[in-house]
Amino acid sequence: DLVRQKVLDLVAEKTGYPKDMLDLDLDLEADLGIDTVKQAELFASIRETYDIPRDPNMKLRDFSTLARVIQFVYDRRPDLRVTALPAAALANAPAVPASTEEPLRELPTFEAADGIPRRVPTPLIRPPLRLCKATGVSFGSGRRVFVMPDRSGVGDALAARLRALGVEVVGPDAATNAGAVDGVYWLPALDHEGDLANMTLALWREAVDIRVKSLYRTMRALYDQIAGPGTFLVSATRLGGQHGYDADGATSPLGGAVTGFTKTYKRERPDALVKAVDFEAGCSADAIAELLIGETLRDPGAVEIGYRDHHRWTIGLEERSAADGRPGMTLDKNTVFLVTGAAGSIVSAITADLATSGGTFYLLDLVPEPDPFNPDLKRFVIDKEALKRDLFARIQARGERATPAMVERELATLERAQAAHAAIDAVRAAGGNAHYYSVNLTDGDAVAKVVADIRERSGHIDVLLHAAGTERSHMLPDKDPREFDLVFDVKCDGLFHLLHAIGDMPLGALIGFSSIAGRFGNAGQADYSSANDLLCKIASSFRNTHPATRAIVIDWTAWGGIGMATRGSIPKMMEMAGIEMLPPETGVGWIRRELTAGAWRGEVVAAGRLGAFLKEWDETGGVDSSAVPPGPMLGDTARIDVDGNLTVATRLDPVVQPFLSDHRIDGTPVLPGVMGIEGFAEAALSLMPGWEVAEVNDVEFLGPFKFYRSEPRTVTIAERFHPEDGGLVADCRLTGQRILANQVEPRVETHFTGRVRLAKDRPAMQNGAARDVSRASVIEAKDIYRVYFHGPAYQVLKRAWWDENGAVGEMAAGLTSNHYPSDQPLAIAPRLIELCFQTAGIWEMGVQHLMGLPRHVDRLLLYRAPEATAGSLFSVVTFNAVAGSFDADVVDGAGTKYLHVSGYRTVVFRDVDAQVFPAAEGG
């Protein structure tokens, strides 16, 4: 049946359903989720396909199943009743001609690198503490707290407040030998370490020791004490209030090492309260002390907290493209690279990728320069198992006791030599120049000597790729100080020596290798996380200390196929934690893409699924639902996740809520679009008390939210906040879910989206005379609501009149309650917006004889609430023929504006009888 197959194809295209799930007798909307708007679009496609004229008397509810839709086609096109084409006709059908176009030449792309998300750490608004849960920490008599002081007075102010609460405060001398403690405040990173460029090595190491290495020693000693509920570690930094993720960059970057350590401690001691709290440079000692106590008592849902511009922040991830519309670097034969850790297998592969453009490469690693004639290097690649046996025999031949561990150590040495050799070969094969240096990055003199040679040979560095590092995982009690120093110093002392040696020599870009352990912390990697997060914050500080240098840090996940993470049980552990390993073909092109696709500066997370790293610390994200202000669209459940997404779930019942019982389409209650906008505004204000809704933008009504069989449903509103132009913007989404026929899992549908802009004040009042509209065509409420489907609470029009250019609607007085309980406040005067929508609908019915449903709003501004006037209100609507949209103002008799709506557009719902709405003169 060709008609049947075509209808099924159209439905599958519009709904995403496979055709074998489209039972012809299931209800289109209640069972298959094809809402009224999609039904209207479906019938428009069918009429176009089969050249069926519009029927103004047709009602969608008469065609509630696919069987009836197919019958609709046959009834209007009886000539189509053919079940099959003759076989001869099919046999003689013309073949599709082969393409004669030349295939496009395949250009180099970043397709593999684009195969996983590119995420960047971003400051996100965090709820005020008064809206957050208690942490379980308490202060009072019998509590003992260790305070590691700073030099700016915060420690003194904090100690005074704690003592006033009855807490015993102890300092560094008493921390480990005078009894147990219940909590630790770590404050040295509040002190500015000074200009890194002018630091001596001795000052650098002293600053590092007092901030992070002494923190390591202290928390190692207190590991068993700061462990359970009610105990805490709260560290403080002065990176700028947003952990260095703002446009200004980190102000005291050594605090990054403290943050990295703190995040790992939380991973090792998840039952304790652990936070890293960041502040602006100018924040006073008293204010910081007060906020640190508040952070200790409330909000168990986040580890990274910041205070800036009178807001409370956390850090989440946001997907962004590397192509940011700005020109990137050009890599060619004149580009000069300095690469550390060049003998690592991952770094070697990335170097080979960069070398495809030619250029000069200075390759640094601890291992000696490889002998290109060493036959073991080739055997390592083509026959590793035979090489292992030979190494075992050689050890025995030396008279030593051969063990697999000894073989693995020698094999690891050969692996690094082979990787270095591969990098050198790749550079030279591309026509570039390779210079290899065996150097220990913790030896400042040796590093200075190498950089002096680069200065003499090239005079500048275009790209410094700092990939050197080592990793040894042990939980804090088992992490020997020598191990901590080794892991930390190779990366951080190494960078210090490199930057000092480079000095004022031009440096185009710094690319640092960090890890997801630096971004999230990771059990067993306190040193690694500290070093990597310090690297991130130094790169951040380049935005103000080295503005001519692009500083980028990559937070790599573990690589699959090559590198240290491929050995032993690590791949299995990663799989169990839900963390996706990075395919080599995906990772090798990342650096080239970062450098050439755009002009990004900052930190980037290179990872697929992040599994356990995104697990919430608290079931509601720290939000206390009982503290959320009441509202008709705010329910009992509110939560915020690690990426700053607020979610509010509200159970709505058409039997209870007038805005549902009085807003029915063909008997089914439908959530008014204006109440969706109200929900967006209420949710935004719930986290930002004291703010005002300045405007609502870009509202899309994607599909009606219906309450089938008049049963209650849960509306879910999700919002993500970010600062913009001195205010805050909430990106909003309203969704619902239900289980449909032939499905096990609930289907989640997005019904409305939009953006709410918050400011400290409402928009400035607007006044002006309304456009004069002829009253030649006037319709009263009794006639309006014979056509409109609204009940008493939404019969907002007393009367309306229109001409060919627009319409005016007078608002009805004495409307019944919009919602229950009626004393709950509204955020955005939804029935004023409804007044504009219905008045625009009057124009459509009077001029075009069509009824439309809301589809889109560009902009909405509320100047004042309607309670501010005792007189009548009017919506004045103008049709923009070019844009196919409406603009509207709600005004009183004096012309004072209460509300402005612009760019309102509709989608056709049904035809309207011209006898009810006679055409306007000239319309």
Side-chain angles (χ1 to χ4, degrees):
D1 187 326
L2 296 180
V3 171
R4 170 178 170 171
Q5 292 303 316
K6 182 61 178 177
V7 169
L8 291 178
D9 286 339
L10 289 170
V11 174
E13 176 186 338
K14 293 194 174 297
T15 66
Y17 270 86
K19 289 196 292 185
D20 59 2
M21 291 177 61
L22 298 175
D23 190 319
L24 299 187
D25 293 325
L26 292 176
D27 187 274
L28 287 177
E29 188 160 17
D31 296 319
L32 296 176
I34 305 173
D35 61 38
T36 309
V37 171
K38 287 195 176 93
Q39 289 179 44
E41 293 174 347
L42 173 65
F43 271 92
S45 297
I46 289 173
R47 286 197 302 270
E48 181 179 356
T49 299
Y50 292 108
D51 194 24
I52 298 173
R54 178 191 290 272
D55 181 355
N57 298 315
M58 189 192 91
K59 299 187 184 304
L60 291 178
R61 64 173 176 264
D62 295 335
F63 302 93
S64 58
T65 67
L66 284 177
R68 293 183 179 180
V69 173
I70 295 167
Q71 188 63 42
F72 165 83
V73 177
Y74 284 142
D75 289 347
R76 286 152 179 79
R77 290 290 307 277
D79 57 305
L80 295 175
R81 291 184 180 277
V82 180
T83 57
L85 290 175
L90 293 175
N92 296 326
V96 178
S99 174
T100 59
E101 294 185 8
E102 289 286 335
L104 294 175
R105 182 171 60 88
E106 187 173 348
L107 299 175
T109 68
F110 297 112
E111 184 176 352
D114 292 338
I116 63 171
R118 179 185 181 274
R119 306 179 181 99
V120 298
T122 305
L124 300 170
I125 289 291
R126 189 82 187 149
L129 283 173
R130 64 181 179 275
L131 299 182
C132 296
K133 291 179 177 178
T135 61
V137 174
S138 62
F139 292 129
S141 178
R143 302 287 286 179
R144 197 164 183 267
V145 173
F146 169 65
V147 177
M148 183 65 170
D150 61 326
R151 297 193 306 269
S152 63
V154 175
D156 294 337
L158 179 61
R161 281 167 170 75
L162 291 171
R163 292 189 182 104
L165 294 170
V167 176
E168 180 186 356
V169 179
V170 295
D173 295 337
T176 60
N177 57 14
V181 299
D182 301 296
V184 173
Y185 286 107
W186 196 264
L187 309 179
L190 289 170
D191 298 323
H192 194 282
E193 62 270 10
D195 186 356
L196 299 184
N198 296 325
M199 267 189 179
T200 64
L201 178 60
L203 288 174
W204 161 265
R205 288 181 170 166
E206 178 185 355
V208 165
D209 186 80
I210 194 171
R211 285 162 177 77
V212 67
K213 292 190 177 181
S214 59
L215 174 58
Y216 148 73
R217 294 190 293 268
T218 299
M219 298 314 297
R220 190 177 183 221
L222 298 177
Y223 195 76
D224 291 333
Q225 299 178 38
I226 309 302
T231 65
F232 67 89
L233 165 63
V234 175
S235 62
T237 60
R238 215 186 285 262
L239 295 161
Q242 293 180 329
H243 289 272
Y245 295 107
D246 54 278
D248 299 328
T251 52
S252 298
L254 259 67
V258 174
T259 303
F261 181 95
T262 304
K263 289 185 288 190
T264 284
Y265 197 86
K266 179 63 174 178
R267 297 285 172 187
E268 295 194 17
R269 289 304 202 203
D271 293 333
L273 174 74
V274 180
K275 287 185 179 180
V277 188
D278 188 43
F279 298 96
E280 296 175 274
C283 195
S284 71
D286 286 337
I288 291 175
E290 195 69 34
L291 290 170
L292 288 175
I293 289 177
E295 289 293 340
T296 311
L297 296 175
R298 305 198 75 83
D299 192 2
V303 175
E304 290 171 288
I305 297 294
Y307 284 89
R308 180 185 173 104
D309 298 332
H310 308 291
H311 296 306
R312 188 167 177 265
W313 303 87
T314 190
I315 306 302
L317 297 178
E318 184 177 281
E319 287 193 29
R320 295 185 193 172
S321 170
D324 58 9
R326 296 175 293 171
M329 294 181 66
T330 298
L331 306 181
D332 57 26
K333 64 180 181 179
N334 298 312
T335 307
V336 177
F337 297 87
L338 169 56
V339 181
T340 71
S345 54
I346 291 173
V347 184
S348 174
I350 290 172
T351 300
D353 179 74
L354 293 171
T356 56
S357 299
T360 298
F361 286 77
Y362 296 96
L363 306 174
L364 280 60
D365 203 281
L366 186 61
V367 302
E369 182 171 0
D371 177 5
F373 301 105
N374 182 353
D376 286 345
L377 300 185
K378 184 175 182 180
R379 296 182 65 201
F380 179 87
V381 176
I382 64 175
D383 196 357
K384 189 182 297 185
E385 292 305 315
L387 178 59
K388 287 182 181 180
R389 291 190 293 271
D390 281 359
L391 292 174
F392 192 87
R394 291 177 201 173
I395 294 171
Q396 289 179 323
R398 294 199 300 261
E400 301 176 30
R401 182 172 177 271
T403 65
M406 293 183 68
V407 172
E408 286 298 321
R409 280 197 293 271
E410 294 206 13
L411 201 65
T413 300
L414 283 171
E415 180 179 8
R416 294 194 69 83
Q418 193 279 330
H421 177 63
I424 294 170
D425 272 0
V427 172
R428 291 174 179 167
N433 299 308
H435 306 278
Y436 188 89
Y437 300 85
S438 176
V439 61
N440 184 345
L441 292 181
T442 63
D443 183 342
D445 292 338
V447 172
K449 184 177 179 181
V450 171
V451 174
D453 190 39
I454 297 172
R455 188 187 303 271
E456 183 176 347
R457 289 174 181 267
S458 299
H460 72 282
I461 299 170
D462 293 299
V463 179
L464 166 57
L465 188 65
H466 184 43
T470 187
E471 190 279 318
R472 298 182 182 181
S473 293
H474 290 102
M475 300 294 274
L476 201 54
D478 302 320
K479 189 169 287 293
D480 183 271
R482 291 170 297 179
E483 178 179 293
F484 192 100
D485 289 346
L486 173 65
V487 172
F488 188 90
D489 292 351
V490 168
K491 188 174 290 288
C492 298
D493 282 13
L495 180 61
F496 177 83
H497 292 316
L498 285 164
L499 295 179
H500 268 249
I502 292 171
D504 59 0
M505 183 165 54
L507 175 62
L510 164 66
I511 306 287
F513 274 30
S514 176
S515 72
I516 52 175
R519 172 83 297 274
F520 301 104
N522 196 29
Q525 295 185 322
D527 41 16
Y528 198 55
S529 179
S530 299
N532 281 315
D533 211 7
L534 173 55
L535 177 62
C536 292
K537 301 313 188 279
I538 289 177
S540 170
S541 73
F542 267 42
R543 294 202 279 276
N544 56 70
T545 62
H546 298 72
T549 300
R550 282 180 64 192
I552 304 169
V553 179
I554 312 295
D555 294 329
W556 297 109
T557 189
W559 285 54
I562 58 175
M564 295 181 292
T566 61
R567 304 187 183 107
S569 62
I570 294 179
K572 183 63 177 177
M573 292 172 63
M574 298 281 285
E575 180 183 351
M576 292 174 62
I579 301 169
E580 185 178 1
M581 298 186 76
L582 189 69
E585 63 273 14
T586 297
V588 292
W590 264 72
I591 302 301
R592 183 162 49 88
R593 184 184 67 178
E594 291 299 323
L595 290 170
T596 62
W600 169 256
R601 300 167 182 252
E603 191 175 338
V604 179
V605 177
R609 295 188 309 274
L610 287 165
F613 284 123
L614 298 183
K615 182 180 178 181
E616 304 292 341
W617 295 115
D618 178 82
E619 62 182 359
T620 69
V623 173
D624 181 359
S625 294
S626 66
V628 175
M633 294 297 293
L634 295 183
D636 298 329
T637 304
R639 64 184 303 274
I640 192 165
D641 66 16
V642 292
D643 277 337
N645 297 298
L646 170 70
T647 303
V648 179
T650 306
R651 189 77 168 168
L652 296 179
D653 188 346
V655 174
V656 173
Q657 288 296 355
F659 62 80
L660 295 176
S661 60
D662 286 349
H663 193 267
R664 296 173 181 261
I665 299 179
D666 295 331
T668 299
V670 179
L671 179 68
V674 296
M675 287 304 292
I677 298 174
E678 169 69 21
F680 289 163
E682 287 183 20
L685 292 174
S686 72
L687 287 195
M688 295 293 122
W691 287 68
E692 297 280 357
V693 175
E695 57 184 85
V696 182
N697 303 116
D698 305 322
V699 180
E700 297 284 353
F701 303 100
L702 303 175
F705 191 109
K706 295 194 173 185
F707 292 77
Y708 302 99
R709 303 175 182 95
S710 293
E711 296 173 350
R713 288 186 67 188
T714 296
V715 173
T716 300
I717 295 173
E719 300 193 352
R720 182 183 177 96
F721 295 82
H722 59 88
E724 187 174 294
D725 298 331
L728 297 173
V729 173
D731 294 311
C732 311
R733 183 174 300 272
L734 186 149
T735 63
Q737 66 176 34
R738 57 198 180 102
I739 296 179
L740 302 176
N742 300 323
Q743 292 188 1
V744 176
E745 295 296 323
R747 176 177 172 181
V748 178
E749 295 176 284
T750 298
H751 295 272
F752 309 150
T753 62
R755 310 181 83 205
V756 176
R757 295 179 180 272
L758 300 179
K760 285 298 183 180
D761 300 298
R762 276 185 177 167
M765 289 299 302
Q766 300 270 336
N767 292 307
R771 185 181 65 82
D772 184 38
V773 174
S774 168
R775 294 193 181 219
S777 301
V778 180
I779 188 168
E780 300 293 333
K782 62 182 179 61
D783 294 317
I784 292 173
Y785 294 105
R786 283 195 297 114
V787 179
Y788 268 149
F789 45 76
H790 306 81
Y794 271 69
Q795 292 182 357
V796 296
L797 284 169
K798 179 180 180 180
R799 65 175 61 87
W801 54 94
W802 67 94
D803 61 21
E804 67 273 16
N805 297 314
V808 174
E810 182 178 352
M811 190 165 188
L815 292 173
T816 60
S817 295
N818 175 77
H819 54 277
Y820 177 85
S822 59
D823 59 348
Q824 286 185 340
L826 292 169
I828 195 87
R831 289 193 292 195
L832 285 192
I833 308 171
E834 182 71 16
L835 179 66
C836 297
F837 287 3
Q838 290 191 25
T839 303
I842 294 295
W843 185 90
E844 288 182 309
M845 290 187 285
V847 175
Q848 298 179 331
H849 301 302
L850 299 173
M851 180 185 290
L853 295 178
R855 188 64 170 176
H856 174 87
V857 176
D858 283 344
R859 190 179 188 213
L860 185 154
L861 295 91
L862 178 67
Y863 299 114
R864 64 170 70 179
E867 291 79 9
T869 180
S872 297
L873 292 175
F874 303 86
S875 59
V876 182
V877 175
T878 304
F879 180 66
N880 184 329
V882 175
S885 64
F886 297 92
D887 296 331
D889 290 305
V890 174
V891 299
D892 61 19
T896 301
K897 292 185 181 179
Y898 290 75
L899 178 81
H900 172 75
V901 176
S902 61
Y904 170 61
R905 291 190 286 277
T906 66
V907 61
V908 174
F909 176 51
R910 61 174 58 143
D911 294 317
V912 175
D913 190 345
Q915 293 181 349
V916 177
F917 282 87
E921 294 180 7

